[in-house]
Amino acid sequence: MPAELHTLPSVTDQAERLIELGVHELGGFRPAELRSMAAETGARAGLLVVRPDRVPASALAPLLRHQGKQGFIVVDMPDIDQFSPIETVNVPDEPIYVVEGLDRGDHMANWSPHEALPAIVEGGRTPLLLIEGIHWVLQQPAALERGHCFMTIGSRLRKANDTLDARTPALWISNGTGRDGRDNRDAPKVGWCWAGNRHTWLGFASATGRTVA
């Protein structure tokens, strides 16, 4: 992962970015409230995240930008907001929290999600949620780089029979082909890949942990 991605803006600067984008309104926060909660985390480093039950992925994805193009969700993922944390991922109950030790997982490119998850856990790390991946790109657009994009396998959809849907969420840059449409070429894209498939251009984003005040 490029060195510049290891240093995020400060948590207070990230709060200002979310306010600039109108995320506070989507989550029902006043600007001062979001600023206060960010300051109360006491975090010097890390990614500021608003819980998905306050601002869902479907509301955040259109705020993404790449080369002036607006982010979008693939048409065959209308249930995006039903993807939730897998059992091994513990998400703080507070409205906002901080994700520490981000890594895009470039070294796992061409692994399948089935192969990557055990390696992430055995390494003492936690896979990113889709909502966390979107927050990362909102704060640091360079985290999404053609040929080096990432999956967020901490989020999965559990079906009515209690098995996991085979789709695993990912963020990448559209080529404007197929149902994406030519107008979406170079746009940031929220999509999915099969849990058993490998892709040379997708790593597996993870973190060291999640903290609150």
Side-chain angles (χ1 to χ4, degrees):
M1 188 171 77
E4 62 269 19
L5 294 185
H6 288 284
T7 304
L8 283 159
S10 70
V11 171
T12 53
D13 284 346
Q14 290 179 51
E16 294 303 322
R17 170 67 173 157
L18 294 179
I19 291 168
E20 174 189 335
L21 292 170
V23 174
H24 64 295
E25 294 178 343
L26 295 173
F29 304 113
R30 298 184 306 277
E33 187 179 10
L34 183 56
R35 291 185 180 108
S36 176
M37 288 190 293
E40 287 173 3
T41 65
R44 295 183 178 180
L47 176 69
L48 188 67
V49 175
V50 180
R51 278 178 56 96
D53 55 0
R54 297 299 295 262
V55 183
S58 62
L60 284 182
L63 301 178
L64 296 168
R65 294 291 185 276
H66 180 263
Q67 295 187 5
K69 296 291 188 71
Q70 181 178 354
F72 71 100
I73 301 165
V74 295
V75 297
D76 52 356
M77 205 175 182
D79 48 4
I80 185 173
D81 293 333
Q82 296 176 34
F83 281 69
S84 59
I86 60 176
E87 293 178 356
T88 57
V89 173
N90 296 314
V91 180
D93 292 331
E94 285 73 5
I96 68 169
Y97 60 95
V98 174
V99 179
E100 300 174 325
L102 291 174
D103 188 273
R104 199 167 59 185
D106 293 357
H107 62 290
M108 290 184 175
N110 211 31
W111 291 34
S112 73
H114 284 326
E115 295 164 334
L117 182 59
I120 290 170
V121 174
E122 288 169 11
R125 299 181 62 83
T126 178
L128 281 202
L129 304 179
L130 173 59
I131 197 80
E132 295 166 350
I134 295 174
H135 273 84
W136 188 6
V137 179
L138 286 175
Q139 298 289 353
Q140 207 168 39
L144 208 60
E145 177 186 1
R146 187 173 289 283
H148 297 286
C149 298
F150 60 89
M151 303 193 71
T152 53
I153 59 174
S155 295
R156 296 290 296 273
L157 175 64
R158 191 165 290 279
K159 298 188 291 188
N161 63 3
D162 206 37
T163 62
L164 290 176
D165 188 281
R167 293 171 296 168
T168 51
L171 289 95
W172 71 93
I173 299 167
S174 175
N175 287 325
T177 57
R179 287 184 290 180
D180 287 3
R182 287 184 296 177
D183 289 345
N184 278 325
R185 180 172 175 77
D186 293 324
K189 170 179 176 177
V190 179
W192 58 269
C193 297
W194 299 119
N197 286 7
R198 301 186 180 100
H199 298 278
T200 58
W201 41 275
L202 284 175
F204 292 84
S206 67
T208 55
R210 300 169 178 86
T211 62
V212 295

